[in-house]
């Protein structure tokens, strides 16, 4: 993937074949609903949700994009600590792909989507996630995976689809972001997310990056930028008691080639 310029015009590539992709999430509901809508309703990919203690349920098999499969799974709890319990996370991902599907982790991009949510996750734990999972396809000796945070939570991404100036918004907590979404539930409904709104979310993310003096980035070499964003957001919170509303979920779509420059 070439470096992306944060001021370029973007487009959606609906014909992009992405192969097998694993997305690890913390939640049991919201993230599954969001990703299901994006990857089934908008892109018509195969979709395999795997929820903790439930296994695979509600499989969707595409008739048009048979070579693109999204596997969404959550860890044993919403705490970031569950990511580093190797017997409960990396081993299970390995078993899922190799033992059950005869697929190698080495060739499967993995994205780990998490909320910053200070009530459940510490600074050190979030930093460890960024430092451990640097690349969706290659982390040298460790399991591949790119750690992408939403500040303060996934609702920032959902809101960024509809509010063109969400990058100017400040949230003190995940609760505050959730209340913002509830304030106009009809407008911010997940079912309203479409190709155009996904690009709006990307523009919001780019504008946030520009505020942090980030003018270009390479999603396949995202570690240094990821770390810079994290430290900037943490400094803002320490000094002002709020986060700049920002979600890095768009990085996943750019890394997969679904969103690209015109």
């Amino acid at each position: 993937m070439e470096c992306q310029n944060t001021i370029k015009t973007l487009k959606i590539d609906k014909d992009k074949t992405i192969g097998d992709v694993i997305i690890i999430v913390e939640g049991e509901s919201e993230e599954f609903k969001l990703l299901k809508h994006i990857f089934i309703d908008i892109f018509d990919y195969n979709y395999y949700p795997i929820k903790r203690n439930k296994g695979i349920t509600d499989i969707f098999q595409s008739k048009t994009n048979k070579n693109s499969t999204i596997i969404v799974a959550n860890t044993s709890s919403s705490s970031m600590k569950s990511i580093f319990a190797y017997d409960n996370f990396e081993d299970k991902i390995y078993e899922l792909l190799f033992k059950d599907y005869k697929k190698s982790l080495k060739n499967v991009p993995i994205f780990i989507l998490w909320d910053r949510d200070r009530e459940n996750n510490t600074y050190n734990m979030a930093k460890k996630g960024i430092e451990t999972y640097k690349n969706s396809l290659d982390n040298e000796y460790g399991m591949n995976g790119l750690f992408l945070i939403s500040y303060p939570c996934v609702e920032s991404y959902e809101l960024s689809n509809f509010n063109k100036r969400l990058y100017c918004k400040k949230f003190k907590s995940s609760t505050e972001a959730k209340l913002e979404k509830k304030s106009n539930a009809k407008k911010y409904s997940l079912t309203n997310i479409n190709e155009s709104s996904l690009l709006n979310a990307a523009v919001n993310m780019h504008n946030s990056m520009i505020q942090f003096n980030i003018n270009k980035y390479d999603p396949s070499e995202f570690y240094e930028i990821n770390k810079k964003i994290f430290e900037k957001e943490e400094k803002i919170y320490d000094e002002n008691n709020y986060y700049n509303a920002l979600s890095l979920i768009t990085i996943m779509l750019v890394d997969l080639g679904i969103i690209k420059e015109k």
Side-chain angles (χ1 to χ4, degrees):
M1 177 63 67
E2 296 180 357
C3 289
Q4 303 295 300
N5 193 310
T6 52
I7 59 174
K8 290 288 186 180
T9 304
L10 303 171
K11 67 177 182 179
I12 298 283
D13 184 356
K14 286 195 71 172
D15 297 323
K16 178 70 175 180
T17 298
I18 61 172
D20 300 314
V21 177
I22 294 180
I23 305 174
I24 307 298
V25 300
E26 60 170 305
E28 294 190 66
S29 178
E30 194 68 18
E31 291 92 338
F32 280 93
K33 291 178 182 177
L34 171 66
L35 296 171
K36 179 179 180 181
H37 175 68
I38 290 174
F39 291 112
I40 293 180
D41 298 336
I42 299 178
F43 294 107
D44 193 30
Y45 292 162
N46 300 320
Y47 181 80
Y48 288 69
I50 307 172
K51 296 187 177 182
R52 50 180 166 255
N53 303 321
K54 294 182 180 179
I56 299 179
T57 59
D58 301 322
I59 292 173
F60 175 79
Q61 296 281 7
S62 173
K63 294 181 180 179
T64 58
N65 289 316
K66 297 180 180 180
N67 295 318
S68 296
T69 300
I70 300 292
I71 300 170
V72 182
N74 54 7
T75 54
S76 59
S77 76
S78 61
S79 170
M80 286 184 187
K81 292 180 180 179
S82 62
I83 300 173
F84 302 103
Y86 288 96
D87 60 331
N88 196 36
F89 177 58
E90 293 196 1
D91 287 350
K92 286 192 174 181
I93 296 300
Y94 174 81
E95 287 180 12
L96 171 69
L97 285 177
F98 185 73
K99 184 178 177 181
D100 296 345
Y101 291 98
K102 308 303 180 194
K103 294 177 180 178
S104 170
L105 282 176
K106 197 170 184 64
N107 301 316
V108 177
I110 299 176
F111 299 92
I112 304 166
L113 310 183
W114 225 264
D115 293 351
R116 177 58 189 94
D117 192 358
R118 294 172 74 97
E119 295 178 4
N120 295 316
N121 301 299
T122 66
Y123 167 91
N124 287 334
M125 194 60 64
K127 184 179 179 182
K128 184 178 180 181
I130 291 171
E131 292 176 341
T132 303
Y133 298 106
K134 303 176 183 179
N135 187 290
S136 63
L137 276 171
D138 182 13
N139 280 317
E140 296 181 350
Y141 301 108
M143 188 186 82
N144 41 307
L146 179 59
F147 195 75
L148 299 173
I149 297 177
S150 291
Y151 302 87
C153 57
V154 68
E155 279 75 13
S156 289
Y157 179 75
E158 295 167 356
L159 292 167
S160 71
N161 275 262
F162 308 107
N163 183 344
K164 292 185 177 180
R165 292 183 58 80
L166 193 80
Y167 66 93
C168 297
K169 194 78 175 177
K170 321 294 182 185
F171 289 127
K172 294 181 179 180
S173 65
S174 295
T175 300
E176 198 170 86
K178 294 176 193 293
L179 288 174
E180 174 77 12
K181 183 185 174 184
K182 287 183 179 179
S183 69
N184 196 335
K186 186 174 181 180
K187 175 182 177 181
Y188 297 136
S189 171
L190 294 181
T191 57
N192 291 333
I193 292 177
N194 54 32
E195 292 180 52
S196 178
S197 75
L198 292 178
L199 293 178
N200 194 69
V203 171
N204 264 307
M205 184 191 74
H206 283 176
N207 282 327
S208 291
M209 287 181 167
I210 290 169
Q211 288 180 331
F212 293 158
N213 296 316
I214 298 168
N215 295 313
K216 59 178 59 179
Y217 61 92
D218 182 346
S220 65
E221 298 289 341
F222 195 64
Y223 169 62
E224 292 297 337
I225 297 296
N226 206 3
K227 187 168 63 172
K228 181 177 181 178
I229 291 170
F230 174 69
E231 295 298 348
K232 290 275 190 181
E233 286 280 15
E234 291 302 307
K235 184 177 181 181
I236 289 170
Y237 192 93
D238 289 341
E239 294 177 352
N240 304 287
N241 199 37
Y242 60 69
Y243 284 115
N244 277 7
L246 168 63
S247 172
L248 296 177
I249 289 177
T250 292
I251 293 296
M252 173 179 67
L253 302 180
V254 175
D255 196 10
L256 293 173
I258 296 171
I259 292 180
K260 58 179 63 176
E261 290 183 7
K262 273 191 176 180

